Amino acid sequence: MYNIIYYDMRVESIFATHIIILLMYESRQIIMEFVICDDDRLYASQFIEQLKVLESQYDELFNCVYYDNYMSLIESLKNKESDKADIYFLDIEFGEVYGMDVARLITRMNRNAGIVYITNYEEYAIKAFVCRPLGFIRKKHDAEDIKVTMDKIISYMNDKNVLYTFKNNRNTLVLNLSTVLYIEMSNHDMNIYMTDDCRVVRDKILRVEKELSAKGFVKINRSSLVNMEHIVNIKDDVVIIDNGTKLYITGNKQEMIIRDWQAYIMGYSER
């Protein structure tokens, strides 16, 4: 049975109302987090209904958070309330704020975020390229555009959820690589530092380095591999991870690591 639950949260401040709309099936797990920002509530409601149809077609489940103005969305991002969504559907222009500017803010806070622009204007779908959006939805052709864009979103989400098997003596440990911040060897122990945990296995750094170099990891010193997805800055000989950890580059690798990181960022944004 399909359920829609509406939460209307009215804020007594300069930030207008935002509505959280949860789309869910009974006894199923939410697997995709969407944020929609458009000042046209009627259109947003129709947009949600179209997602409802695609949800069943793709056999996926969407959790959608809707904002009717950018100031509310920006405040929510700053408060770490909506900064971890998978996909952001942004109206390109309303009022004095442009969706492309908000997209820059979003991708600074969440490099994994997928951006989709919504527009009334055909020319924007040709000219806009900020943050390498996954797609454009033209309101006059949204039924067609949503289907095309959803195909890209599904592919994008599959690419994000890459699993890797670490060896641990005779056992194995399978992890989602997007949750791995960095890997560090200590004697014969391989410490895998994750977003919310640290796992220790007995694996060979040479094997792991060779395989993960093609999956966005870079070796910064003799014993450390860093997931470039989680690098926020490289300053002098220090690599700064998005959880605040600082790791040190040894040897004359700084320029090479910076080039690899920049190439990763550009390549990631073009996917």
Side-chain angles (χ1 to χ4, degrees), residues 47-216:
F47 183 83
I48 295 296
E49 287 300 313
Q50 293 188 72
L51 287 179
K52 166 184 172 179
V53 174
L54 291 178
E55 189 178 41
S56 60
Q57 289 181 7
Y58 283 93
D59 193 27
E60 301 286 358
L61 186 58
F62 309 144
N63 178 32
C64 299
V65 181
Y66 168 62
Y67 295 88
D68 61 7
N69 69 92
Y70 275 130
M71 294 305 293
S72 291
L73 173 56
I74 291 171
E75 183 71 5
S76 179
L77 290 167
K78 291 178 178 178
N79 291 335
K80 306 293 185 180
E81 296 170 358
S82 296
D83 62 324
K84 301 299 182 184
D86 297 306
I87 307 296
Y88 294 79
F89 296 89
L90 305 175
D91 190 4
I92 284 186
E93 179 181 13
F94 60 80
E96 298 180 355
V97 182
Y98 287 82
M100 299 174 201
D101 296 325
V102 178
R104 290 191 184 96
L105 174 63
I106 290 170
T107 51
R108 282 200 299 267
M109 303 179 72
N110 178 1
R111 191 171 296 144
N112 286 327
I115 303 296
V116 176
Y117 292 124
I118 301 173
T119 180
N120 272 315
Y121 306 100
E122 297 280 340
E123 64 268 21
Y124 275 126
I126 299 174
K127 295 179 180 178
F129 58 88
V130 174
C131 301
R132 301 289 182 182
L134 291 175
F136 297 88
I137 294 175
R138 301 162 297 172
K139 292 185 177 180
K140 294 180 181 179
H141 308 279
D142 58 359
E144 171 188 349
D145 290 350
I146 289 174
K147 178 64 170 63
V148 171
T149 300
M150 190 57 65
D151 288 339
K152 294 180 181 179
I153 288 173
I154 297 299
S155 175
Y156 175 78
M157 293 297 296
N158 288 337
D159 288 343
K160 279 179 60 175
N161 296 314
V162 176
L163 300 180
Y164 183 77
T165 302
F166 293 90
K167 295 181 180 179
N168 189 20
N169 294 325
R170 295 183 179 180
N171 300 316
T172 59
L173 174 65
V174 180
L175 297 176
N176 186 326
L177 286 180
S178 67
T179 68
V180 177
L181 303 177
Y182 63 98
I183 299 167
E184 196 168 62
M185 292 299 298
S186 177
N187 296 323
H188 297 292
D189 289 335
M190 177 176 288
N191 300 287
I192 305 169
Y193 293 90
M194 304 164 64
T195 53
D196 58 358
D197 196 6
C198 178
R199 307 294 293 272
V200 180
V201 298
R202 289 292 183 98
D203 206 336
K204 296 181 179 180
I205 188 67
L206 292 179
R207 182 191 76 84
V208 173
E209 176 191 352
K210 181 179 180 180
E211 295 180 358
L212 293 190
S213 63
K215 300 181 185 298

